[in-house]
Amino acid sequence: MSSQTVERVTVPPTGACQGCAMVLIARHALDTLGRNSVVTIPASCGAWSGAMLIDRGPTQFPSAAAAASGVAAGLRAAGHKDTNVVVIAGDGGTYDIGLQALSGAAERGEKIIYICQNNQAYMNTGIQRSGATPRWGWTTTTPVGSVIKGKTVWPKIMPEIMEAHHIPLVATASIHNIPDYKRKIKIAYELTTKQGKGLSYIEVLNTCPTGWRYSPEKMVAIARLAVETGFWPVYEVVEGKFKLNIKPKELKPLKEFYQMQGRLRHLTDEQIAETEKLIHSRWERLLERDQRGY
Ligand SMILES: Cc1ncc(C[n+]2csc(CCOP(=O)(O)OP(=O)(O)O)c2C)c(N)n1
Ligand code: SF4
Ligand SMILES: [Mg+2]
């Protein structure tokens, strides 16, 4: 990638559902990085990202970061030092079954640009819960019945787990702000591919109409509301420097966001209030970090 390069790497059509944000996540990452890239996609909806004009290796569900480590080593051995080695994995392949491979790769300082498209469930296999599914959220394995109503535990905060690995870049992004996402992809290119400083981790909320139960034309509105309610804070930690990139003056009520989605519409006011309390206390911590700058 040069700073001037804007070349298509992904080619339509895709096999994804109508209004799928994952297509945007894959397309803008790879088109920004350009053709001197190799991408590894574990079993996930990412398999439906469409045709690509670069080498693309499907991997097993748990091993994307391990496979990418091997690709990076092979490229290095062959003298290709400036090729982007990219992973695009789902939340299941990142938070859950792929965590060990990812943690190992991050700790070893592998030169991998790792993108997690987080749609908060195992979507391509039929909407099963993951470590990223919101508490009380409906999935096919956390049904809403008369005794149990959705997932009973809180989701992990994966970007904070990645921060504990002291990697050069940890960032979150939202598909309603593509320029911010592409800027972060360029930082990853600079730190990981060009300067060889280790693994970059970027996680994007993948608003998924099929699994979240909303109609596809609301994709951008839902993504924006996720950020404006504090449900999905957009920030970056670049070589230890913290910045909250989108700072609404006041957070919108979480209920607005939850009521737009069939998977979360059943929550009681008390459950929403409890979730909001957690979100707001995290938001306060992020504002403090933003002021401190680390
Ligand atoms: C070891 C193993 N267990 C289960 C599966 C079946 N499987 C393939 S993809 C997937 C879920 C992927 O979820 P996620 O990573 O969140 O991606 P998404 O489909 O949501 O994009 C599962 C359970 C598998 N391929 N390998
Ligand atoms: S299930 Fe969701 S993430 Fe998967 S292709 Fe369909 S809209 Fe996209
Ligand atoms: Mg998923």
Side-chain angles (χ1 to χ4, degrees):
M1 185 183 83
S2 80
S3 53
Q4 307 300 321
T5 314
V6 181
E7 51 182 351
R8 289 304 301 265
V9 165
T10 54
V11 185
T14 77
C17 313
Q18 192 184 17
C20 173
M22 181 271 305
V23 177
L24 295 179
I25 294 166
R27 184 178 104 199
H28 287 293
L30 296 173
D31 289 356
T32 302
L33 290 168
R35 294 212 191 156
N36 192 10
S37 307
V38 176
V39 66
T40 298
I41 302 180
S44 59
C45 284
W48 313 118
S49 320
M52 293 174 189
L53 304 175
I54 54 173
D55 282 333
R56 164 184 174 172
T59 67
Q60 292 167 327
F61 189 26
S63 54
S69 302
V71 170
L75 285 167
R76 255 195 325 274
H80 299 288
K81 290 200 178 112
D82 59 346
T83 302
N84 299 296
V85 179
V86 187
V87 172
I88 301 176
D91 49 299
T94 303
Y95 284 55
D96 301 337
I97 196 167
L99 181 58
Q100 181 186 354
L102 172 57
S103 176
E107 188 267 340
R108 289 193 304 273
E110 299 287 351
K111 281 82 179 159
I112 296 170
I113 298 173
Y114 192 105
I115 298 163
C116 172
Q117 54 86 359
N118 177 4
N119 52 20
Q120 302 192 321
Y122 296 3
M123 290 304 177
N124 83 101
T125 43
I127 323 178
Q128 294 89 16
R129 63 86 94 188
S130 78
T133 304
R135 188 166 185 195
W136 295 298
W138 168 90
T139 66
T140 52
T141 50
T142 55
V144 178
S146 55
V147 180
I148 295 175
K149 295 190 191 308
K151 190 187 178 192
T152 54
V153 289
W154 297 112
K156 299 178 193 179
I157 305 181
M158 189 63 198
E160 294 187 10
I161 295 173
M162 291 314 294
E163 236 193 291
H165 289 76
H166 307 287
I167 52 180
L169 173 69
V170 174
T172 59
S174 166
I175 53 95
H176 86 279
N177 191 335
I178 294 292
D180 175 75
Y181 175 46
K182 288 170 80 163
R183 186 181 58 79
K184 286 164 178 167
I185 295 286
K186 286 179 186 164
I187 296 173
Y189 162 74
E190 189 63 34
L191 296 178
T192 291
T193 307
K194 210 166 153 204
Q195 296 182 30
K197 288 187 168 169
L199 188 144
S200 284
Y201 179 84
I202 302 175
E203 183 170 334
V204 196
L205 187 65
N206 174 4
T207 48
C208 161
T210 306
W212 294 14
R213 301 293 196 235
Y214 70 86
S215 95
E217 76 279 2
K218 298 205 176 89
M219 182 234 267
V220 175
I222 294 246
R224 180 177 287 116
L225 208 46
V227 176
E228 290 175 345
T229 54
F231 178 88
W232 187 254
V234 172
Y235 64 90
E236 67 191 37
V237 192
V238 182
E239 297 194 278
K241 292 197 185 70
F242 182 94
K243 194 163 187 230
L244 192 53
N245 304 115
I246 305 179
K247 280 186 280 189
K249 280 207 169 64
E250 213 173 303
L251 295 179
K252 288 192 171 164
L254 186 65
K255 196 167 181 173
E256 268 184 49
F257 175 63
Y258 273 31
Q259 274 182 341
M260 287 178 83
Q261 305 163 59
R263 68 174 180 149
L264 295 167
R265 205 171 286 138
H266 59 274
L267 264 74
T268 61
D269 285 349
E270 289 73 29
Q271 288 169 335
I272 291 181
E274 202 176 329
T275 311
E276 209 162 39
K277 200 170 146 200
L278 201 73
I279 285 174
H280 286 192
S281 74
R282 180 164 179 235
W283 184 253
E284 289 303 318
R285 272 195 288 125
L286 295 176
L287 283 175
E288 279 168 25
R289 290 192 69 184
D290 187 57
Q291 272 210 325
R292 273 204 315 269
Y294 60 87

